Amino acid sequence: MTTYTDLNTPLRTIMTPGPVEVDPRVLRAMSTPIVGQFDPAFTHIMNEVMEMLRHLFETKNKWAFPIDGTSRSGIEALLCSVIEPGDKVLVPIFGRFGHLLTEICERYGAEVHTMECRWGEVFDQEDVIKEIKRIQPKITAIVHGETSTGCMQPLDQIGKACRDQDVLLIVDAVASTGGTPVKVDEWYIDGIVAGTQKCLSVPSGMAPLTYNDRIEKVVHARKKVERGISTEEDRINEQTNNHPTIKSNYFDISMLQDYWGPRRLNHHTEATSMLYALREGLRIVIEEGLENRFTRHKYHEKALIAGLEAMGLSLFGNRECKLPTVTCVSIPNGVDPESVRRMLLQQFGIEIASSFGPLQGKIWRIGSMGYSCRKENILFVLGALEAVLIRHGVDINIGKGLQAALEVYINQPATALVTQ
Amino acid sequence: MTTYTDLNTPLRTIMTPGPVEVDPRVLRAMSTPIVGQFDPAFTHIMNEVMEMLRHLFETKNKWAFPIDGTSRSGIEALLCSVIEPGDKVLVPIFGRFGHLLTEICERYGAEVHTMECRWGEVFDQEDVIKEIKRIQPKITAIVHGETSTGCMQPLDQIGKACRDQDVLLIVDAVASTGGTPVKVDEWYIDGIVAGTQKCLSVPSGMAPLTYNDRIEKVVHARKKVERGISTEEDRINEQTNNHPTIKSNYFDISMLQDYWGPRRLNHHTEATSMLYALREGLRIVIEEGLENRFTRHKYHEKALIAGLEAMGLSLFGNRECKLPTVTCVSIPNGVDPESVRRMLLQQFGIEIASSFGPLQGKIWRIGSMGYSCRKENILFVLGALEAVLIRHGVDINIGKGLQAALEVYINQPATALVTQ
């Protein structure tokens, strides 16, 4: 029999677009002894988290809770609860996670219409709106912050157009929520999913989402209460539902509502320690203040970009639509991208990311999210990257990167920021 | 703006059939700073957990990993990856979670055949085998330990018969694994799911599963690599698949294999801290030893039953098929069951469970699982229950319950046990 040692992991500086470093207060919250799932002490925490999520999403929606799964579980929960076979869905794609949306929609039987733009760009909102008017889908599903390309799609006009056309707008805001404004009500977003392991600095394993009464209405028409716990009244109500049952049991939002709502009908057993983590992560967001938090992310992004450009590196992607929490660097000619990443990890304990599909081998992605988005991390990654690139024989402006970042930090101090 | 206090939860004695008390070592493991998902330090841990799960399940299966979701997510992952629309599935039902199996199968388009027995009983294996031969399903899906009734279904002959008939046997062993023998290979189980928040004393939020090459073969014929990361070769291979794509992206085991296997193809972002927790929980199981662990569960069950019966309470369900980790007590006539549970919680900080469907208001369920399955917890719950029942005017044998349990603990000490 193999014996296993005590968990013994290295400490890393994690500068990827997720998972990022977990806030130490969140780690501590997770070591709290648990209580039972229907203990009033726990249902109180569930209610608190719902309220905190409404704040995060800047919404008055009744429903805001996490799915117990990683980010994509939240996306699948929203989509599969709304999509009925044959429904038309429009998916504008500007990176890998747009493809994921199409894939999920297709699996649940949607008639998917796509439009694509080059990776590194986003859509002119007018073009999407035209397509919405032409296709007249039931749903438009779109990514807000595309981690694969570091681009961010403006949504305000698309949201308004969807509302006017009576189209549901479902948004993947996994990489953006908590790091840059995501205004659910103001932008007319009907359903949206955030990530925990990105700008919230909570470990992966929960997918916070919110949706409005327009989605609730669709879900209600498909409602089913689980056999083995349903009442006679439930069964009578279900007979009047003339819409097909939601394919997934685990992701059935109509049942999740009965668990998160006052009926407290058992569905799954809520992931206690992860909910403690999410609560603490949200508490930290609220304590810092959304606006302060967004300012902090922009501030460190500025220092990071200044450093990279002073070093002589080029950023990838249209700067006009840059996602403030992910910075993509074009890989200099002739350098082995994985060798650079490996040396950063092995010598400096720093992790940065590669990318997917057409961008594999073309760009590195540096995340500056949540707790990882700190002055010392930005400076450390710049210094380390310079050293590793020199070691790889890349012709860069030696010594300039850190000076440019320090220029930002010393000459433009973050006086207005509550937290640096 | 509401301000939120530091997480401040009461300490409970959790004697439900889950979630149960988390082992303090597991809680501590969760507060470990995280590393990135493709960090060699993390993929090493993923491999370790796979190996530990094979030990837990007593299997040589290649595939053993957790789904990032609560227990039912693992059940849904196995079922939806195997079920194609129109497939025949036989579900023998002896409690609430048998109904859950039928519901999941139906949602994914199976032709479900059920057989039912009275709650509190299990099936004669021969009766199930007869039905398998008659129906000739593609899959038999069955619960091993039914938490809703505290009954455990023997599976060895059913497994053998399924193998002989070329039927896939998929088992929900959420409540039993780690507390009582679950011999995956010896019993010819093709796919099985365990629970974390039960006998492993890890928080809810992961669903460990394993499956053999018979299931892998079915899944392989439906394999699809996600768009946005698939290669030309993947797309050519997919064209030869003549089976329908798995409905769920999140639960698609063919993609999960590529993430847990050597290809390390990104699917989700593994739930880092929960995996740390699972690893620690499994490490504790291995350290204690499976046989010692099962003996410990039986030992405390014996003391619990002795105490309850000496008090004058009756157990619910056929003793012959009792699940050692859940003890169901018939609620004495005339007592308000919820008032008793409330007083246990409010005055003693002890949680026991009610039940579902036909057993609601009829039985209490006392769990003795994992870290909660300790001498002091058994004695505490017996003493508290006596006091609360007296307070509720129930005619019981005062003072006898604890004496009977002490009789077990003092006169039949657990000398053979490594851990009590």
Side-chain angles (χ1 to χ4, degrees), chain A residues 4 51 76 96 248 266 269, chain B residues 4 51 76 96 248 266:
Chain A
Y4 295 92
E51 192 176 279
E76 185 160 333
R96 175 190 167 190
S248 169
N266 183 245
T269 298
Chain B
Y4 296 92
E51 191 177 278
E76 186 160 332
R96 175 191 167 190
S248 169
N266 182 244

Side-chain angles (χ1 to χ4, degrees), chain A residues 4 12 39 51 70 72 76 96 106-107 204 226-227 247-250 252 266-267 269 279, chain B residues 4-5 12 39 51 70 72 76 96 106-107 204 226-227 247-250 252 266-267 269:
Chain A
Y4 295 92
R12 301 295 199 201
D39 193 312
E51 192 176 279
T70 67
R72 65 171 59 198
E76 185 160 333
R96 175 190 167 190
E106 280 176 5
R107 287 185 186 229
S204 173
E226 194 166 297
R227 234 164 304 162
K247 279 285 168 203
S248 169
N249 169 292
Y250 193 70
D252 184 331
N266 183 245
H267 176 253
T269 298
R279 181 188 182 280
Chain B
Y4 296 92
T5 62
R12 301 295 200 203
D39 194 314
E51 191 177 278
T70 69
R72 67 170 57 196
E76 186 160 332
R96 175 191 167 190
E106 280 176 5
R107 287 186 186 228
S204 173
E226 195 165 299
R227 235 164 302 163
K247 278 287 169 204
S248 169
N249 170 293
Y250 194 69
D252 184 330
N266 182 244
H267 176 254
T269 298

Side-chain angles (χ1 to χ4, degrees), chain B residues 156-167:
Chain B
D156 53 336
Q157 295 165 43
I158 294 172
K160 183 67 173 63
C162 281
R163 192 66 53 99
D164 291 343
Q165 302 286 314
D166 200 21
V167 171

Side-chain angles (χ1 to χ4, degrees), chain B residues 265-276:
Chain B
L265 206 52
N266 182 244
H267 176 254
H268 59 283
T269 298
E270 185 56 15
T272 322
S273 305
M274 280 302 301
L275 196 73
Y276 288 178

Side-chain angles (χ1 to χ4, degrees), chain B residues 104-116:
Chain B
I104 295 172
C105 292
E106 280 176 5
R107 287 186 186 228
Y108 284 97
E111 180 190 316
V112 180
H113 298 257
T114 60
M115 54 193 293
E116 296 196 38

